[in-house]
């Protein structure tokens, strides 16, 4: 079901005790008309779930393996994630693609597994600066969607458009640039057989309290995936755009 979602990807930040302290301080102010999701590191998930008990804020993880179990040292399965109290899983974040060899093929396997297990996959796509400058944005995003979401329609997924050049750089895409790509994503997944009008598409990349409102006013942007600002009190301003 298409709804507005404000998500905070903590990346490799906040220990369990820091997560607990931060969320105990802010959770009472995290009430929102929109769905709010926090993605802490694995080892801080339990503390986050505990601190958010009784609130409507959801918790997710930043990655998962596509196999059910087995000899995959250092990996975490969908069942483990579900049992920990998470409802969402980020798949294919650009940092996973860049530093940990995530490919469109593994994104596809992980997304299928998440759906099979009842987790909500938030699938990330985005072009880097070189690709944008070479005018390859739509080619890159089209390929990421066609392979990453192959064989999945019409299941319900969440998609996050995060241009790599806007992540952690302070350089937000303009509202029009973000809207243009989110509209392209909706058109592409419609062609793939998804009920595209029912799919939430988020923008991510240097989102702050000061730029969230105009992004949210765009017709094809249904939310934000926030990195740096989700670690600070500014997240409350973002939620209350
Ligand atoms: P920043 O908000 O720090 O640019 O990070 C965006 C991001 O990668 C969220 O997943």
């Amino acid at each position: 079901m298409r709804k507005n979602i404000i998500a905070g990807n903590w990346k490799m930040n906040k220990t369990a005790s820091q997560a607990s302290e931060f969320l105990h301080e802010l959770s009472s102010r995290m009430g929102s008309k929109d769905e709010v999701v926090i993605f802490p590191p694995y080892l801080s998930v339990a503390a986050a779930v505990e601190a958010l008990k009784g609130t409507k804020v959801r918790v997710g993880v930043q990655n998962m393996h596509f196999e059910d179990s087995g000899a995959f040292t250092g990996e975490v399965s969908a069942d483990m994630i579900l049992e920990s109290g998470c409802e969402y899983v980020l798949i294919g974040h650009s940092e996973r693609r860049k530093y940990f060899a995530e490919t469109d093929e593994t994104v596809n396997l992980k997304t299928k597994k998440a759906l099979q297990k009842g987790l909500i996959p938030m699938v990330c796509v985005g072009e880097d600066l070189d690709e944008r400058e070479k005018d390859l944005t739509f080619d890159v995003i089209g390929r990421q969607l066609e392979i990453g979401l192959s064989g999945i329609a019409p299941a319900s997924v969440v998609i996050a458009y995060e241009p790599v050049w806007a992540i952690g750089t302070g350089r937000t895409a303009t509202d029009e640039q973000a809207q243009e790509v989110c509209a392209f994503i909706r058109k592409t997944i419609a062609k793939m057989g998804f009920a595209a009008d029912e799919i939430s598409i988020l923008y991510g990349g240097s989102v702050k309290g000061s730029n969230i409102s105009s992004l949210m006013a765009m017709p094809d942007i249904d939310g934000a995936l926030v990195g740096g600002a989700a670690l600070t009190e500014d997240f409350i301003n973002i939620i209350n755009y």
Side-chain angles (χ1 to χ4, degrees):
M1 259 301 277
R2 183 165 172 183
K3 56 182 159 191
N4 288 347
I5 302 172
I6 305 292
N9 173 13
W10 286 2
K11 309 191 180 185
M12 197 173 72
N13 295 289
K14 293 198 194 292
T15 65
S17 60
Q18 289 165 343
S20 181
E21 193 187 330
F22 179 80
L23 291 172
H24 273 121
E25 228 164 80
L26 296 193
S27 62
S28 61
R29 290 150 65 197
M30 279 188 184
S32 162
K33 54 195 179 305
D34 299 332
E35 178 119 311
V36 177
V37 191
I38 304 282
F39 292 93
Y42 288 129
L43 286 173
S44 303
V45 162
V49 168
E50 174 65 28
L52 293 169
K53 235 184 225 159
T55 75
K56 282 161 68 185
V57 180
R58 323 273 167 160
V59 181
V61 290
Q62 302 169 14
N63 181 36
M64 60 167 251
H65 200 274
F66 50 82
E67 293 290 353
D68 285 336
S69 63
F72 302 104
T73 301
E75 290 293 322
V76 169
S77 74
D79 287 332
M80 296 169 191
I81 293 163
L82 281 165
E83 212 175 287
S84 72
C86 289
E87 293 169 69
Y88 280 83
V89 55
L90 278 183
I91 296 179
H93 190 280
S94 63
E95 287 148 19
R96 302 275 341 150
R97 294 176 189 259
K98 181 170 173 198
Y99 302 124
F100 303 100
E102 187 87 76
T103 63
D104 294 326
E105 286 75 17
T106 56
V107 166
N108 185 245
L109 291 169
K110 290 177 181 193
T111 305
K112 282 179 172 156
K113 180 56 70 175
L115 288 166
Q116 180 201 327
K117 294 288 183 175
L119 283 161
I120 304 168
M122 189 177 285
V123 178
C124 305
V125 296
E127 82 287 3
D128 66 25
L129 186 58
D130 188 48
E131 290 159 343
R132 175 157 283 260
E133 284 174 346
K134 288 187 177 136
D135 218 10
L136 292 173
T137 299
F138 292 156
D139 295 315
V140 170
I141 309 266
R143 187 204 67 223
Q144 289 173 338
L145 292 170
E146 269 150 38
I147 304 175
L149 300 182
S150 153
I152 287 167
S156 188
V157 295
V158 175
I159 297 174
Y161 167 54
E162 297 203 302
V164 178
W165 48 272
I167 295 179
T169 59
R171 189 178 158 192
T172 321
T174 64
D175 302 332
E176 292 71 25
Q177 282 172 326
Q179 161 60 24
E180 183 186 35
V181 179
C182 290
F184 170 78
I185 291 171
R186 205 176 299 285
K187 219 170 64 192
T188 304
I189 61 172
K191 274 192 224 145
M192 291 172 68
F194 286 88
D197 285 336
E198 295 297 312
I199 302 269
S200 300
I201 302 176
L202 280 50
Y203 166 78
S206 299
V207 174
K208 302 182 270 297
S210 56
N211 58 25
I212 180 76
S213 295
S214 56
L215 286 162
M216 291 302 287
M218 296 290 120
D220 285 292
I221 299 179
D222 307 313
L225 180 55
V226 186
L231 300 167
T232 71
E233 284 218 20
D234 196 29
F235 194 57
I236 299 298
N237 302 323
I238 296 174
I239 289 171
N240 295 318
Y241 64 90

